[in-house]
Structures are given as structure tokens and as C-alpha cells.
Amino acid sequence: MPAASLHSRLGLALTRRLVPSAVDRNMVKRMVRETFRRHDAKQSGFDCVVTLREKFQHGQAPQIAAEVSELLDRLGSAAA
């Protein structure tokens, strides 16, 4: 969804059901925020909401970061 400003905004929706540990929830949030911060889509003016569909396993962090980056690539190419 296009945002009102030139900078994109990020929303994170992580439930305790899918990420039971508060430590893991915070780690996922930090990782997604950092991926978003470094990505070019941040300048495209979109509102982005990231949520998990499957239960988080502790070793999945790099896969989630790669998937978020890929989805931001797709979002950036759709905006162009």
C-alpha cells in the first residue's frame, strides 16, 4: 500500500503462538528491521507489514532474513 510520505514504514506482527520465546521474537524483529533498513525499498514510500505464517524454529533466522529481502526486492520492482 503506498504511504503518504516518501519513506516506507515497517510493521511487525509476531504472535506468541508462532514465536513462543520473547528472546526469539525480539531477535526476529531486530533482524527484519535491519534487513528493511539496509534495503532500497525503504525509499519507495510503501507501508509494509511482516508476519510469520508458520511456527519459528531457532535455526530459521537466516532463511527469514533472506525471504524478507527477496520480498522487498519484489516490492521494489513492483514500485518501479
Side-chain angles (χ1 to χ4, degrees):
M1 160 182 260
S5 71
L6 296 176
H7 297 287
S8 294
R9 297 184 298 179
L10 177 67
L12 297 167
L14 301 176
T15 64
R16 202 172 3 170
R17 183 175 58 90
L18 294 176
V19 188
S21 168
V23 173
D24 288 340
R25 270 194 313 278
N26 289 330
M27 178 190 64
V28 170
K29 288 178 187 179
R30 283 192 308 268
M31 178 190 53
V32 172
R33 280 189 205 116
E34 184 64 17
T35 302
F36 181 75
R37 184 185 73 81
R38 292 179 179 215
H39 201 275
D40 293 335
K42 184 177 179 183
Q43 303 301 324
S44 61
F46 280 93
D47 291 340
C48 306
V49 178
V50 176
T51 186
L52 296 180
R53 292 184 177 183
E54 297 176 3
K55 191 166 182 151
F56 174 76
Q57 302 296 324
H58 194 68
Q60 288 180 320
Q63 294 169 336
I64 291 174
E67 187 171 346
V68 168
S69 182
E70 178 185 330
L71 291 170
L72 289 172
D73 287 340
R74 288 174 42 192
L75 178 65
S77 66

